[in-house]
Amino acid sequence: MIWDIPTLLDFVGSLAIIALLSVAYGGLRARLPGEKLAPSILGLAFGAVAVLQMHAPLEPIEGLIVDMRNVPMVLAGAFLGLRGLILCLVIGIAFRLGIGGVGVWSGIGAMLISGGVGAFWRATTLSQRRRKGRTIASLGVMANLHMIAAVLLPVDVAVFFLTEAGPVLVGLNLLAIPIVATLLERERILIESGARQRAAALKEDGRAFVPREALGWTLAQAAAIGNLQGKVTIIRLQVCPTGFLALLGGRDVCSWAVASLRESILRTVPDAGVVGRLGPNRLLIVMPDYGDSGIELEAKLRHLANAPIEIPGMVPVPITINTRRTNHSSLPAIPALLGAAPRRRGFRRPLPVAEPEPGQGTERLFEVMQRLEDARRDARFDTLREANGG
């Protein structure tokens, strides 16, 4: 008999590492935004756990090691997706090749089967918003398919493994995998809830801020028949998330940060102003010139960066807000407005916007509106001519 109490306790202790990792899963995802980065980092973490389990295995026969490394492989396939699974498998297989022995190919085969089982379970249950207990229990049952890899062992070694080590490994899989999978499933639900909230915030953000494609026409209308016919104040605003989270998340974190500040920005800008989005983290604010109101607005906007902002499903993100304010006697040429915002972080060297000659901006706007009206008239005439048979 190869099993005794200390050996079983060692195996249970190795499973405790996986349980701790599953508890930390949600926290890691909250600090690792993005669909590519988070699974990759977590795949490396699961692979490292498999390596730790192979460091202290049970070796009843020289070259045949018995451990619980297939548990993180199954869970990586079930919860991390293909990218995380591949990284986990690469780490585990590379280390097992380094150990060598009579069971090397069987061990590698078992890892591949385990990862494949987890990926298959994920694919067949992904449509379920919340996986039920029996679905999670089925993962523990399916995980035992890695025993098939015993056919790659010599016959006498395979018989010894299946009769001596196999039953205990099956019992541990049936006990440990559903428990850890339940913890991971709970974190998955919370993560997806945060992702849905971020998506909803970005969708609402698209309705609140004028998109770049429509910003020129909106400004043209406001300058011709709206609130921007006289002097205007223009503020270019850039939201810059800071810290390690912003470095990892890139453009996604910038977009989420602006979406989270949407209500605060709209409450600060006067109703007569136009707020348009120039990029993931850049806004253009155009409002009538009310004396010192532009200075006050700029100060209020900068004040929004005093505290880290809350992003659904993520840890609070510290930000900086950079602004550049200019005053004009009339609305400048729209192409200059849409193309003058700098793309790099910060405003160390403000780009000057040339003041148009008196009436120049208004005349251009009326020319644009006249061309649009002529185009609509031509289209209406063509439609009537076709309806009358040419």
Side-chain angles (χ1 to χ4, degrees):
M1 186 67 180
I2 63 173
W3 298 101
D4 52 25
I5 298 300
T7 302
L8 286 173
L9 291 177
D10 288 341
F11 272 60
V12 172
S14 66
L15 293 175
I17 299 175
I18 303 176
L20 291 175
L21 183 60
S22 66
V23 172
Y25 173 72
L28 290 172
R29 282 301 303 261
R31 288 166 172 79
L32 299 172
E35 295 300 321
K36 297 179 180 180
L37 181 63
S40 300
I41 299 297
L42 290 168
L44 294 174
F46 275 64
V49 171
V51 170
L52 288 176
Q53 292 174 327
M54 283 186 278
H55 264 98
L58 176 65
E59 191 172 5
I61 299 176
E62 185 178 355
L64 175 67
I65 62 174
V66 180
D67 52 47
M68 301 302 295
R69 66 180 176 274
N70 291 309
V71 173
M73 300 296 169
V74 170
L75 296 173
F79 291 96
L80 301 186
L82 185 60
R83 188 183 302 272
L85 172 61
I86 290 175
L87 288 173
C88 183
L89 285 172
V90 167
I91 293 176
I93 290 173
F95 191 80
R96 185 63 185 90
L97 283 171
I99 295 176
V102 68
V104 60
W105 298 115
S106 176
I108 292 175
M111 285 188 279
L112 292 173
I113 293 173
S114 298
V117 164
F120 175 80
W121 182 86
R122 172 187 172 87
T124 55
T125 62
L126 197 59
S127 60
Q128 301 179 20
R129 188 165 185 177
R130 182 186 296 270
R131 294 167 177 135
K132 298 181 180 179
R134 60 176 178 269
T135 303
I136 294 177
S138 68
L139 179 62
V141 176
M142 295 169 59
N144 291 304
L145 290 174
H146 72 81
M147 297 290 179
I148 297 175
V151 299
L152 299 177
L153 292 170
V155 175
D156 55 337
V157 178
V159 171
F160 175 83
F161 172 77
L162 293 175
T163 57
E164 295 291 334
V168 176
L169 292 179
V170 169
L172 290 175
N173 285 337
L174 292 175
L175 176 65
I177 290 178
I179 294 175
V180 179
T182 300
L183 297 174
L184 291 171
E185 177 67 9
R186 181 193 64 182
E187 297 298 332
R188 181 190 72 87
I189 293 172
L190 294 175
I191 291 167
E192 292 187 353
S193 175
R196 286 193 295 270
Q197 292 179 43
R198 291 195 297 270
L202 288 177
K203 187 176 181 180
E204 189 65 27
D205 179 46
R207 298 191 186 103
F209 297 141
V210 181
R212 187 185 183 98
E213 296 77 14
L215 186 55
W217 174 244
T218 301
L219 291 174
Q221 284 186 312
I225 58 176
N227 299 313
L228 302 181
Q229 299 182 63
K231 296 181 179 181
V232 296
T233 296
I234 297 175
I235 297 178
R236 291 179 174 82
L237 181 146
Q238 189 174 33
V239 179
C240 300
T242 59
F244 187 63
L245 179 63
L247 177 65
L248 294 178
R251 294 169 64 91
D252 289 340
V253 176
C254 292
S255 299
W256 295 332
V258 174
S260 298
L261 288 172
R262 179 186 65 251
E263 297 299 331
S264 299
I265 292 174
L266 293 178
R267 282 197 304 267
T268 305
V269 177
D271 293 337
V274 175
V275 184
R277 184 184 274 276
L278 295 178
N281 65 331
R282 293 183 292 120
L283 299 177
L284 178 68
I285 301 171
V286 184
M287 54 178 283
D289 187 356
Y290 297 134
D292 294 334
S293 60
I295 299 176
E296 297 175 0
L297 175 60
E298 193 174 21
K300 290 179 180 179
L301 292 172
R302 289 178 177 272
H303 183 73
L304 297 178
N306 283 357
I309 61 173
E310 299 287 340
I311 298 179
M314 296 172 57
V315 295
V317 180
I319 62 169
T320 60
I321 293 181
N322 299 311
T323 60
R324 190 178 73 218
R325 177 180 50 83
T326 54
N327 297 317
H328 305 265
S329 58
S330 62
L331 188 71
I334 292 177
L337 284 178
L338 300 184
R343 293 187 177 275
R344 65 179 181 178
R345 191 170 172 177
F347 292 97
R348 296 180 181 177
R349 295 183 179 178
L351 298 179
V353 178
E355 187 74 24
E357 298 178 1
Q360 179 183 5
T362 305
E363 291 175 2
R364 291 186 180 181
L365 292 173
F366 276 111
E367 290 175 3
V368 172
M369 294 183 67
Q370 186 62 46
R371 287 198 299 269
L372 291 173
E373 183 63 29
D374 293 341
R376 283 198 294 268
R377 188 182 301 109
D378 293 341
R380 190 182 306 113
F381 176 76
D382 293 339
T383 301
L384 293 174
R385 185 175 59 184
E386 293 175 359
N388 293 327

